[in-house]
Amino acid sequence: MRELRIREALREALAEELERDERVFLIGEEVGHYQGAYKVTEGLLARFGAARVIDAPIAEAGFAGLAIGAAMVGLRPVVEFMTWNFSAVAFDQILNNAAKVRQMSGGQFTCPVVFRGPNGAAKQVGAQHSQCFEAFYTHIPGLKVVCPATAADAKGLLKSAIRDDNPVLILEDERLYGVKGPVPDGEHLVPLGVSRVAREGERATVVTWGKGVAPALQACERLAAEGTQCAVVDLRSLRPLDHGPAAESVQRTGRALVVHEAWPYGGVGAEVVDRLQRECFGALQAPVLRVTGRDASMPYNKTLEDLVVPSADTVLRALRALLAY
Amino acid sequence: MLPRRGAPEAPQRGAKAVHEHTALLRELHRTMLLIRRFEEAAAKAYSQGRIGGFLHLYIGQEASAVGALSALGPEDYIVGTYRDHGLALARGMSARACMAELYGKATGCSRGMGGSMHFFDASRKMMGGYGIVGGHVPLAAGMAFASKYRKEKGVTLCFLGEGAVSIGDFHEALSLAALWHLPLVVVVENNEYAMGTPLERTLSVADVSLKALAYGMARDRFRADDVLTVREHFQTAVQRAREESLPTLLEVQTYRYRGHSMSDPGKYRTAEEVEARKRNDCVHRAELVLQEWGVTEEELQAVGRSVEAEVEDAVRFAEESPEPSEELIEALTYA
């Protein structure tokens, strides 16, 4: 199978959907003339023209709201936030309009809009540019939230999101854009709301998503070298949340560790822990543990930043504690 | 004598033209009267505890919505605030569907899920009333964008109060509409009070239409006492949007007789001020003009009776309609 970087897989998904459906257009800061702040949209302006690849001024609330209004009357906008940090000024549009218009109108209007962009820490970009938004957005009924970890999922989830009749938020990752992975040729769709077993194992189950997947796999490989096999489940979609495969795995392993970069307090991990303890209560041999980003704003200093974000080392330490419980 | 300020003359070209002009004003007058009687009935039901939540009345401002929407066609979109009953009725939504929505019934225009602040009707392109001040203006820009994207001739009308022109979403939407030449008419209904705070305490300029200047947008500003005058001003702005794909900021100077909502006793203004404003009442003014154009007192009384019957029927319909079913709670969350 051919290999693509995640940014190329996303670009391929956008190009295919632009080609396939005239209702689809792209809008965001730097998406056209500049070729994308992270080069996801490179070449699309030349290929599809300025009517469909639209450079927006710095007005997230304005262009997010514009996209929602256009979606209500039948277009399929794909909004790029340069990073999800800047979505905070458009939060009202997503919370009060995109998520609610179907319900408030008694089902008369739908809102098929996609919001996408990088989420979480990059490299030493400080407190305001390093935040994870999954807890804020998964809290809201009416939204779907996905978080791809591989090139194949990035492409397949984005294509499904564009075809979905609900607002879908795609939380990508700047540090993953350059990561290569196999992507099937031809039409490739990954359904929203279906998790993926990234690694089989019988001793413990790591449940994670997005940037948590790689350190989880690395930690499990190190344990495998010692003869201990642990499973990794990549949730892929955080709302709707398909916890079934994770629960099935925990039924066998009796031990679960949730890993995410976002803050611990009220995080998506807490929702996962709640579901696992209820569904696997009889099988659990230890409390469900979490490895998360530390409960603090992101420091600029590189050494400190590395201590805040989960790594293979911190996942490994937590797995050892879980196995020894 | 009839107050003539701004009232258009009946055309003198012939009996047929006079008849058409009179027929139009009769229709607009009836809609204004329907809004007023509808809201009076709603206020009564609210005070009896039959309607819950917030209830923001439009009474006094009827000429604005009615004149504005008479300038639109079926291909045009309308977006409003939480003060949306007048817009809905002016757009031809039935008093039954609107009253049933206030009662939270399954037969309401939003199936009882929206209430007073969230009237929707997809079939009439009534794109909803919205409760976060200013947050709906970008949506309206999006609908105008969609019309242009699809090379359709539709125009979007977006209503807001003068209290909404300080929030960022208003400015971002104007900025985008002007930049991308969107067929949008942004209508600021200036009723002089942002809730209970007078305009001069919240705005640095008395002329709200000046907000258009920085965006290079066309603007207009006029009083909404005479519904035909309102219609003419809107026709100009709608034509600019439809023919030239250019946005306009309109400031409609108006006045609400009731409080901001039913919970507002209106102590921030004097009874004399309210009474003075009522002397320019748009419904009464339309009746005086109609009488001058030959409509009889008896005919006007018949209109009044027919409107009252329509409202009574709507109240009865709302009271007798079923509650929405529990299954809707989750079913409406996702498509």
Side-chain angles (χ1 to χ4, degrees):
Chain A
M1 206 183 296
R2 71 211 169 101
E3 296 230 320
L4 293 180
R5 296 181 197 282
I6 286 185
R7 71 159 54 80
E8 294 162 346
L10 291 165
R11 187 187 307 143
E12 199 169 87
L14 292 171
E16 286 176 13
E17 295 305 302
L18 280 162
E19 192 68 57
R20 175 180 168 272
D21 187 345
E22 285 200 345
R23 299 171 300 173
V24 176
F25 69 92
L26 311 186
I27 186 167
E29 293 152 9
E30 311 284 2
V31 297
H33 187 72
Y34 187 79
Q35 310 298 326
Y38 296 103
K39 299 292 174 275
V40 170
T41 56
E42 192 173 49
L44 298 181
L45 173 64
R47 185 166 162 197
F48 294 99
R52 299 184 70 199
V53 179
I54 300 166
D55 282 319
I58 301 167
E60 278 83 3
F63 66 76
L66 180 143
I68 294 164
M72 284 174 65
V73 297
L75 297 186
R76 292 192 168 258
V78 180
V79 178
E80 177 174 304
F81 289 126
M82 191 181 293
T83 82
W84 277 98
N85 297 286
F86 309 147
S87 80
V89 293
F91 187 68
D92 172 64
Q93 288 297 332
I94 300 172
L95 168 72
N96 278 309
N97 292 333
K100 291 188 176 48
V101 71
R102 178 175 159 78
Q103 186 268 0
M104 292 195 305
S105 67
Q108 293 180 79
F109 292 100
T110 54
C111 191
V113 61
V114 172
F115 297 101
R116 50 156 293 273
N119 179 56
K123 271 186 187 166
Q124 285 193 274
V125 291
Q128 293 182 330
H129 285 71
S130 301
Q131 303 171 94
C132 293
F133 279 79
E134 50 264 54
F136 299 102
Y137 291 116
T138 55
H139 192 58
I140 303 169
L143 303 181
K144 294 185 177 181
V145 181
V146 302
C147 200
T150 68
D153 285 349
K155 180 177 179 184
L157 288 170
L158 176 53
K159 283 171 69 83
S160 294
I162 292 171
R163 298 184 193 188
D164 198 272
D165 283 335
N166 299 285
V168 185
L169 284 60
I170 304 189
L171 307 180
E172 301 159 5
D173 201 298
E174 187 194 327
R175 286 188 174 190
L176 296 182
Y177 279 145
V179 173
K180 279 188 171 180
V183 178
D185 288 318
E187 185 84 320
H188 173 62
L189 293 164
V190 174
L192 308 180
V194 179
S195 62
R196 169 184 78 101
V197 177
R199 179 193 171 90
E200 300 284 359
E202 300 305 319
R203 295 292 310 283
T205 308
V206 183
V207 184
T208 187
W209 59 87
K211 198 157 52 188
V213 173
L217 288 171
Q218 287 160 19
C220 289
E221 277 158 28
R222 286 199 229 163
L223 279 176
E226 300 167 14
T228 303
Q229 296 291 344
C230 296
V232 175
V233 177
D234 172 7
L235 290 174
R236 303 198 287 193
S237 290
L238 304 180
R239 188 188 251 273
L241 177 60
D242 169 30
H243 63 275
E248 280 168 34
S249 176
V250 175
Q251 292 287 2
R252 291 195 301 276
T253 62
R255 289 181 162 84
L257 175 70
V258 182
V259 176
H260 62 67
E261 183 186 310
W263 294 310
Y265 201 120
V268 176
E271 175 72 20
V272 176
V273 171
D274 169 63
R275 295 189 187 199
L276 292 180
Q277 64 83 19
R278 272 186 290 124
E279 297 217 356
C280 308
F281 188 70
L284 284 173
Q285 297 170 45
V288 182
L289 300 184
R290 286 189 288 169
V291 171
T292 69
R294 284 168 66 166
D295 196 16
S297 293
M298 188 64 76
Y300 159 73
N301 176 275
K302 184 174 186 315
T303 307
L304 297 186
E305 181 179 68
D306 288 344
L307 290 170
V308 168
V309 178
S311 64
D313 287 339
T314 52
V315 175
L316 186 61
R317 275 202 298 277
L319 271 174
R320 289 194 195 285
L322 183 68
L323 290 164
Y325 188 87
Chain B
M1 272 304 290
L2 179 65
R4 295 300 312 171
R5 183 166 56 86
E9 297 292 331
Q12 301 299 312
R13 291 187 299 277
K16 184 163 179 287
V18 172
H19 177 73
E20 281 173 9
H21 219 63
T22 310
L24 172 65
L25 184 56
R26 286 174 84 128
E27 186 188 323
L28 301 183
H29 163 259
R30 190 188 188 281
T31 307
M32 292 195 292
L33 191 62
L34 176 66
I35 294 168
R36 183 158 304 179
R37 295 287 175 264
F38 175 93
E39 290 207 315
E40 287 165 354
K44 187 177 162 198
Y46 187 90
S47 58
Q48 292 168 338
R50 294 167 193 268
I51 294 172
F54 296 131
L55 189 71
H56 305 89
L57 299 180
Y58 196 63
I59 292 174
Q61 304 184 201
E62 294 91 340
S64 172
V66 173
L69 269 57
S70 78
L72 295 185
E75 68 277 33
D76 301 324
Y77 297 105
I78 297 122
V79 190
T81 68
Y82 47 86
R83 199 181 302 283
D84 58 0
H85 313 155
L87 277 184
L89 292 167
R91 190 56 172 173
M93 289 168 64
S94 75
R96 280 186 163 199
C98 293
M99 191 64 78
E101 189 59 34
L102 297 182
Y103 275 69
K105 296 299 185 70
T107 54
C109 58
S110 305
R111 299 169 78 182
M113 305 304 283
S116 166
M117 298 187 286
H118 309 303
F119 278 14
F120 286 82
D121 185 345
S123 70
R124 290 180 175 81
K125 293 189 168 60
M126 169 61 184
M127 306 304 292
Y130 295 84
I132 307 297
V133 170
H136 63 304
V137 192
L139 299 187
M143 292 156 201
F145 173 91
S147 293
K148 182 166 183 165
Y149 184 91
R150 289 193 286 233
K151 300 184 172 60
E152 295 168 352
K153 281 289 182 187
V155 169
T156 301
L157 231 59
C158 180
F159 284 76
L160 51 139
E162 90 285 355
V165 304
S166 294
I167 203 162
D169 286 45
F170 166 78
H171 293 277
E172 294 191 20
L174 258 59
S175 181
L176 298 179
L179 174 66
W180 292 330
H181 296 182
L182 302 183
L184 177 68
V185 180
V186 176
V187 187
V188 178
E189 292 183 299
N190 178 359
N191 62 19
E192 302 180 23
Y193 293 89
M195 280 189 70
T197 305
L199 183 144
E200 64 268 20
R201 294 177 77 87
T202 64
L203 284 176
S204 58
V205 290
D207 181 345
V208 179
S209 74
L210 288 172
K211 303 283 177 187
L213 292 179
Y215 304 108
M217 269 173 80
R219 66 192 175 108
D220 192 6
R221 183 175 197 240
F222 52 90
R223 288 212 62 82
D225 302 331
D226 181 83
V227 68
L228 291 175
T229 305
V230 173
R231 175 182 157 92
E232 285 173 11
H233 283 277
F234 270 91
Q235 282 174 324
T236 304
V238 167
Q239 186 179 1
R240 183 179 296 122
R242 205 182 307 285
E243 304 304 329
E244 301 172 64
S245 194
L246 289 174
T248 304
L249 180 66
L250 292 186
E251 178 187 355
V252 181
Q253 296 168 286
T254 183
Y255 198 80
R256 63 170 154 74
Y257 300 164
R258 303 296 187 102
H260 168 76
S261 71
M262 287 295 286
S263 59
D264 165 18
K267 289 183 177 166
Y268 44 83
R269 57 187 186 182
T270 63
E272 292 74 28
E273 176 182 314
V274 178
E275 286 311 310
R277 296 317 187 95
K278 285 183 178 175
R279 282 198 282 279
N280 284 325
D281 180 65
C282 58
V283 178
H284 182 57
R285 185 186 185 84
E287 287 167 357
L288 292 174
V289 174
L290 282 171
Q291 283 180 296
E292 190 176 70
W293 290 353
V295 176
T296 66
E297 182 74 30
E298 290 70 32
E299 285 176 292
L300 288 176
Q301 285 172 0
V303 171
R305 283 193 301 276
S306 125
V307 163
E308 279 161 26
E310 187 173 340
V311 171
E312 281 167 24
D313 167 75
V315 170
R316 198 162 44 244
F317 174 79
E319 285 176 351
E320 291 170 359
S321 285
E323 298 276 320
S325 69
E326 185 182 343
E327 293 84 75
L328 282 184
I329 296 174
E330 277 86 20
L332 290 175
T333 306
Y334 289 99

